Amino acid sequence: MLDPLHIPGHLWADRTVRAALDARDIGALFRHVSRLTHASQTRIGAAVGLEQGYISRIMAGRKVTSIDVLERIADGCRMPDEARMALGLAPRQRSLPQDMASFIHQQQSDPPVNPSWRADVSAAAQLWEGEVNRRDVIRQVAFGSAGYTLPALRWFTVPPPQDVGQSGRRSVGQPDIDTIREMTATYRRLDNQYGGGHARKTVTRYLHQEITPLLTEGNYDPPTGRRLLSAVAELTQLAGWQAYDTADHGAAQRHLTLALNLAHAAGDSVLGAEILAAMSHQATYLGHTGAGVDLARAAGQTANLAGVTVLTAEAFVMEAHAHASAHNESACAHALHQAERTLDRADRSSAPRWLGYFDEAYLSAKFGHCFTALGKPTQAERFAVRSLRMDESYVRGKAFNLALLATVQVQRNEPDRACAIGAEALTLTSQLRSARAAGYLYDLRTQLAPHRCRPAVRHFIHQVDATLGPRRDGYNSPRA
């Protein structure tokens, strides 16, 4: 693991650094930081959430104009307010704590700066435009679990804005909002059937071409504005989920962060809880189990306040999986028990329709993943089998669950059975555009490699290679 990047405080008063900040010459800033701290490009990139190759191009003279990327750089370098303002960014009132979960529950005498909802809209429009135009800077932003700390902190400590109305040249009403909701439902159905890569470009293009004009040029009163922002937040969350499913984790993080900010502006705590749970899902998948636990607890607290018991159960499941991935068996068992108890008393009649995926089959799959991570194949098999009693329209979910059951068979030292079940998962995955689904099978292939002497295993490995091709860097080891 890379050591944190420590930049001495006196550097920000250096004349050369101040000149670089005034000129927004990030390349000169990075070169000076590298000379002073002996930090490599990889280390700087890890600190600011950018790929090493992109850091190299910046240091070679590439300009950085994206406000979002400048914010990441300022936060990663822990710039003081004077340096941030020299760069043209808003000051921060405080530096962020290392432990978000403990900090959230402390009394706040000076909550984080509350950017306006219009700033969130502007950031979202910039992201969507960048994705549609395939800007290099959008693709080079890496995931960093610290990037979820400030949005979650803001969710708990800053009250939603009262006035989200706007006087524009284009009238916006309930039919526009209903259209967004229906489009989101359609895109969500396609995502479940064909994977995140199937309609991702279409979703971002719709956000850029149709949603941005509504938000920036629309004429709507505050109640309509809140409903509009809520609908847009839900679609933005789906865009983040699609990016996550295609292993574009930096873009996924940016979409989910913006979705949470928009849900906050809309005062939609139910959707906010779901977005926090999605953030936990991604953090745990990428191995940031501490952040996964904190975000799951934040989701649970939000769901409790919103009074949606099904969401509270989901939050417990996310927390359990983060604990299991960290090999904390007792904490995982406690969270799973709470999830079962909570779901038993849940009233689904008031749950939003986008939460329809969270049923007994989904819960069983998460239990199976937890026991698999803890190396308990007997318990894992029981839940993995139960997870397959599911709605067949969730094709990607079924591919996940079959791969889970196959992985359990490897743990039970049943390689031939694992291959038979894995072949079913491969058939479904070949119809999907999902890096996560492919990742499950690549991991299964790796786990079966010691059994290559068996004909069934050799045949399955050949099938995976022939169908999916060689493993690429974009496929992370699946944990969720």
Side-chain angles (χ1 to χ4, degrees):
M1 179 179 291
L2 294 172
D3 293 330
L5 180 63
H6 296 292
I7 299 177
H10 65 77
L11 176 139
W12 304 109
D14 182 273
R15 185 174 301 176
T16 303
V17 170
R18 290 306 296 252
L21 293 172
D22 289 337
R24 279 192 175 176
D25 188 346
I26 303 302
L29 171 65
F30 284 167
R31 291 192 295 272
H32 198 75
V33 168
S34 181
R35 284 195 298 270
L36 182 68
T37 65
H38 305 290
S40 66
Q41 293 176 0
T42 300
R43 189 174 170 196
I44 294 173
V48 301
L50 296 170
E51 301 288 349
Q52 178 274 326
Y54 191 57
I55 296 292
S56 176
R57 290 192 287 277
I58 291 174
M59 294 177 72
R62 188 185 186 98
K63 295 296 183 183
V64 178
T65 58
S66 167
I67 296 297
D68 185 72
V69 175
L70 290 171
E71 286 277 5
R72 278 177 174 260
I73 291 169
D75 289 344
C77 292
R78 299 185 180 180
M79 288 185 188
D81 282 349
E82 294 80 4
R84 291 179 58 88
M85 290 187 288
L87 198 57
L89 302 175
R92 297 279 191 225
Q93 290 186 352
R94 69 183 312 128
S95 59
L96 291 177
Q98 291 297 312
D99 186 347
M100 181 191 73
S102 62
F103 187 72
I104 281 174
H105 295 90
Q106 295 173 5
Q107 284 287 67
Q108 301 300 316
S109 58
D110 53 345
V113 171
N114 181 18
S116 71
W117 66 273
R118 288 187 174 85
D120 295 326
V121 167
S122 177
Q126 185 180 55
L127 174 60
W128 302 332
E129 181 186 12
E131 283 232 322
V132 168
N133 294 329
R134 301 293 292 166
R135 287 183 184 165
D136 184 59
V137 68
I138 300 295
R139 300 195 300 275
Q140 293 293 339
V141 175
F143 174 89
S145 60
Y148 279 150
T149 304
L150 183 59
L153 181 62
R154 176 186 171 195
W155 175 264
F156 280 98
T157 59
V158 177
Q162 294 299 309
D163 184 3
V164 291
Q166 178 173 278
S167 297
R169 62 182 181 83
R170 177 175 178 176
S171 178
V172 177
Q174 191 59 43
D176 299 290
I177 297 168
D178 291 342
T179 298
I180 297 171
R181 297 282 191 196
E182 288 302 318
M183 292 296 290
T184 302
T186 298
Y187 290 137
R188 196 180 298 280
R189 185 168 59 253
L190 292 173
D191 176 68
N192 287 323
Q193 289 181 336
Y194 303 108
H198 176 76
R200 183 184 169 193
K201 291 181 181 179
T202 305
V203 170
T204 52
R205 192 177 301 113
Y206 179 74
L207 285 165
H208 171 54
Q209 295 177 350
E210 302 295 334
I211 302 302
T212 295
L214 288 178
L215 292 172
T216 59
E217 303 170 12
N219 181 15
Y220 40 86
D221 58 19
T224 303
R226 283 190 288 274
R227 294 195 299 274
L228 174 63
L229 291 177
S230 173
V232 175
E234 183 186 344
L235 183 55
T236 305
Q237 184 226 0
L238 176 59
W241 195 254
Q242 290 175 319
Y244 169 24
D245 194 45
T246 55
D248 193 350
H249 292 292
Q253 183 173 34
R254 296 180 71 189
H255 277 98
L256 291 176
T257 298
L258 285 167
L260 186 67
N261 290 345
L262 293 171
H264 176 268
D268 191 340
S269 57
V270 177
L271 181 59
E274 174 73 358
I275 296 168
L276 287 163
M279 290 175 166
S280 172
H281 199 298
Q282 185 191 24
T284 298
Y285 179 90
L286 294 174
H288 300 271
T289 55
V293 170
D294 290 344
L295 289 162
R297 288 174 175 170
Q301 183 176 344
T302 303
N304 272 330
L305 293 173
V308 182
T309 313
V310 179
L311 268 175
T312 305
E314 181 188 29
F316 277 125
V317 168
M318 295 304 166
E319 181 183 346
H321 195 227
H323 286 309
S325 297
H327 306 291
N328 187 339
E329 185 174 344
S330 60
C332 174
H334 176 72
L336 287 177
H337 178 64
Q338 294 285 14
E340 272 193 312
R341 288 184 57 195
T342 305
L343 194 61
D344 283 345
R345 58 184 174 82
D347 177 11
R348 293 182 177 274
S349 62
S350 61
R353 65 175 178 174
W354 45 255
L355 198 55
Y357 70 88
F358 191 78
D359 55 13
E360 295 294 339
Y362 185 91
L363 187 68
S364 296
K366 297 302 287 186
F367 272 55
H369 280 292
C370 288
F371 286 120
T372 301
L374 293 170
K376 296 180 175 295
T378 301
Q379 295 95 319
E381 182 181 35
R382 183 169 69 253
F383 287 104
V385 169
R386 193 180 302 171
S387 75
L388 291 171
R389 302 168 191 163
M390 60 181 297
D391 184 342
E392 295 290 327
S393 67
Y394 292 97
V395 178
R396 181 181 55 199
K398 186 171 184 179
F400 288 170
N401 295 351
L402 284 166
L404 168 64
L405 182 57
T407 300
V408 171
Q409 301 309 316
V410 178
Q411 288 191 356
R412 295 184 66 248
N413 199 29
E414 296 282 354
D416 288 0
R417 180 160 171 73
C419 290
I421 299 169
E424 294 183 61
L426 181 60
T427 298
L428 291 181
T429 301
S430 66
Q431 304 166 20
L432 299 168
R433 296 183 62 183
S434 168
R436 287 191 296 150
Y440 274 107
L441 289 169
Y442 283 128
D443 272 22
L444 178 61
R445 180 194 187 285
T446 300
Q447 293 160 17
L448 283 166
H451 303 280
R452 290 187 76 117
C453 59
R454 305 180 73 90
V457 173
R458 287 199 303 273
H459 179 66
F460 176 73
I461 289 175
H462 173 73
Q463 281 185 302
V464 172
D465 292 343
T467 304
L468 301 180
R471 182 166 190 151
R472 297 184 291 278
D473 292 340
Y475 294 123
N476 296 87
S477 178
R479 300 177 180 86

